[in-house]
Amino acid sequence: MNSSQLFGITTLAYLLASMLYIAIFVFRAKKLGLAATSVTVAAFLIQTTAIGLRWYESYNLPGYGPEAGHAPLSNMYESLVFFSWCIAIFYLWLELKFKNRLIGAFAVPFAFLSMALASLTSDAIRPLVPALQSNWLIAHVITCFVGYAAFAVACGLGIMYLIREGSDTSNKNSLINTLPEPRIIDDITHKTMVFGFIWLSAGIITGAIWANSAWGTYWSWDPKETWSLITWFIYALALHARFVKGWGGKRIAWLAILGFISVVFTYYGVNYLLSGLHSYGS
C-alpha cells in the first residue's frame, strides 16, 4: 500500500467522522460520541503514517537519487493534506481540553473538505525546484498551516455562535440549546484566533526569511504576500478591537468567518487566479 491509498482511506474516515459529529448534534445521539472521536483519531493516525510514507517515497523516485527526497510540503496536494492534518490535531486538542464533542460538527468537516480538495489535484511526487530547497520552507509552511488550521476551527466556532445566539432559548427542547452557552463559544473563538494569529505572524516572518534566501528580497509584494498581509490585518483588527473596545459576540464571530474567507483566498484562490512568485505551489 502506498501513501496515496492511505490518504484515500483518510478522506473517507474524515467523512465518516464528520457524519458522526453532525449526527450527535442533529439527533442528540451522545452515544455516538466515542465512535466519532475514535474514527477521527484513527484517521489522524493513518494520515500521519501516510505523510511519513510519502516523505520516504520521495527518496526513491524513479530516475532520481536520494538527494531528491524532501518533506511533503511543497505543492498544493501536499499542503492540503498537511492543512487537513493540522485541523484534525488542533480539533482533537480542543475536544480534549473543553470536553465538548459538538464542536466537531463545525470543525472536522473542514479536515474532510481539505482532503477532498487534495484528491482533485495531482498527487505526483516531484523533485524540488531550487527556490524550495531550503529548511526555511519547512518552517514557513508548518507555521502558516498551524495558523490556518486554527482559523478554520475559529470559523466553525463563529458559525456555531451565530446559530446559538440567534436561536429561541425559551424552548428548552430546542436542538440549538444543546450547543454550549454563547459566552463559552465566544471565549473559545477568541482564544483560537489568538493562537492562529501568533502562528500566522511566525509564518509571515519565516516566509520573509525564506524569500530573501530564494529571491534576494524579504518582501516583493507578490500576490500571496499581499493577501497574507491583508489576512494578518483582519485578525489583528479583530483582536485589537476585542482588547481595546471589548468587542465580542456576533462581531467577533463574523470577523472569524471573514478572516477565514481571506485565508482561503490567500491559500487557494491566489494560486489559481493571480500569478506570482508562489505559482509553483499550484
Side-chain angles (χ1 to χ4, degrees), residues 7-226:
F7 285 135
I9 295 172
T10 301
T11 305
L12 293 175
Y14 280 139
L15 173 61
L16 176 59
S18 299
M19 294 169 64
L20 288 170
Y21 280 117
I22 291 171
I24 293 170
F25 171 51
V26 174
F27 300 109
R28 300 183 181 185
K30 292 184 178 180
K31 292 181 179 179
L32 294 177
L34 180 59
T37 302
S38 299
V39 172
T40 306
V41 170
F44 173 75
L45 293 176
I46 294 170
Q47 189 175 24
T48 303
T49 302
I51 290 173
L53 181 57
R54 185 175 176 90
W55 197 336
Y56 172 78
E57 289 169 349
S58 71
Y59 284 88
N60 297 281
L61 292 178
Y64 298 93
E67 64 277 7
H70 58 273
L73 301 168
S74 63
N75 56 33
M76 180 58 75
Y77 177 83
E78 293 171 345
S79 65
L80 282 166
V81 167
F82 187 66
F83 184 32
S84 169
W85 185 88
C86 289
I87 293 171
I89 192 172
F90 185 73
Y91 165 69
L92 288 170
W93 176 76
L94 274 185
E95 183 179 307
L96 181 65
K97 180 174 178 59
F98 294 100
K99 312 296 183 188
N100 192 314
R101 290 190 169 106
L102 289 174
I103 299 173
F106 297 85
V108 175
F110 285 115
F112 162 68
L113 288 174
S114 185
M115 289 301 295
L117 283 173
S119 69
L120 301 177
T121 63
S122 171
D123 64 353
I125 304 175
R126 297 186 179 89
L128 294 178
V129 299
L132 300 180
Q133 295 173 2
S134 168
N135 288 332
W136 283 108
L137 168 70
I138 299 175
H140 172 55
V141 173
I142 290 175
T143 49
C144 278
F145 278 94
V146 171
Y148 287 177
F151 293 146
V153 175
C155 174
L157 289 165
I159 295 170
M160 178 192 280
Y161 180 91
L162 293 174
I163 293 173
R164 181 68 171 85
E165 182 65 13
S167 66
D168 178 12
T169 57
S170 62
N171 182 4
K172 299 302 180 185
N173 294 321
S174 170
L175 177 69
I176 305 302
N177 281 333
T178 61
L179 295 174
E181 291 291 325
R183 62 178 179 78
I184 296 175
I185 304 174
D186 180 65
D187 182 57
I188 301 174
T189 304
H190 171 239
K191 290 174 179 174
T192 301
M193 289 171 70
V194 170
F195 182 83
F197 183 74
I198 292 170
W199 283 94
L200 176 62
S201 301
I204 291 175
I205 293 171
T206 54
I209 296 172
W210 169 46
N212 186 55
S213 66
W215 305 316
T217 178
Y218 288 99
W219 196 268
S220 55
W221 295 108
D222 170 76
K224 179 80 79 176
E225 295 172 346
T226 303

Side-chain angles (χ1 to χ4, degrees), residues 219-233 266:
W219 196 268
S220 55
W221 295 108
D222 170 76
K224 179 80 79 176
E225 295 172 346
T226 303
W227 273 95
S228 294
L229 195 60
I230 291 171
T231 300
W232 187 90
F233 272 114
T266 301

